[in-house]
Amino acid sequence: MSTGYLTTHVLDTALGLPAADMQITLYRLEGEVRTQCAQMRTNADGRTDSPILPVTEFQTGTYELVFEAGAYLNSIGTAPETPRFLDVIPLRFGISDADAHYHVPLLLSPFGYSTYRGS
């Protein structure tokens, strides 16, 4: 049994604050098959209340986190564009170590984002 798990965190770098109440969906990818594993919202700290992929469901493979950035930006009153420059942000990444903690944060502004493998 693996001991790894996956967490995420969203920071609004334009405001210098956690991105609260953003919807995030996690998918597992196997070839052309995309299976939803979890769907959560960030809390006041920009984190999910529990690992988005807990130890009991954790396994190696290819995953995609989908961040609903446009809906979040709309909800905090960021001036809208038509279409919004950043709306849905998919991040595909691989998990190769079944016993590691993978942390995949999103640093967001209305016109850019970055990510990395955190700890």
Side-chain angles (χ1 to χ4, degrees):
M1 177 176 191
S2 73
T3 58
Y5 60 101
L6 172 66
T7 57
T8 188
H9 186 196
V10 185
L11 296 172
D12 184 327
T13 58
L15 297 178
L17 297 170
D21 201 33
M22 181 186 293
Q23 182 172 293
I24 303 169
T25 307
L26 175 69
Y27 296 93
R28 180 172 169 78
L29 302 156
E30 297 178 271
E32 298 299 316
V33 178
R34 187 174 178 236
T35 304
Q36 183 175 320
C37 300
Q39 188 171 69
M40 299 182 172
R41 297 190 86 77
T42 56
N43 59 24
D45 193 35
R47 301 174 187 275
T48 57
D49 287 331
S50 61
I52 197 157
L53 191 59
V55 171
T56 56
E57 299 170 30
F58 193 83
Q59 58 183 308
T60 59
T62 303
Y63 291 86
E64 182 177 72
L65 280 167
V66 178
F67 297 86
E68 299 293 334
Y72 161 77
L73 293 168
N74 291 342
S75 75
I76 64 166
T78 302
E81 315 150 88
T82 305
R84 186 171 281 289
F85 181 70
L86 291 176
D87 187 14
V88 177
I89 300 173
L91 297 178
R92 286 193 179 179
F93 58 96
I95 292 176
S96 59
D97 184 348
D99 296 316
H101 171 199
Y102 281 74
H103 182 67
V104 182
L106 181 73
L107 306 176
L108 173 69
S109 77
F111 299 102
Y113 68 89
S114 65
T115 190
Y116 56 93
R117 180 177 172 190
S119 58

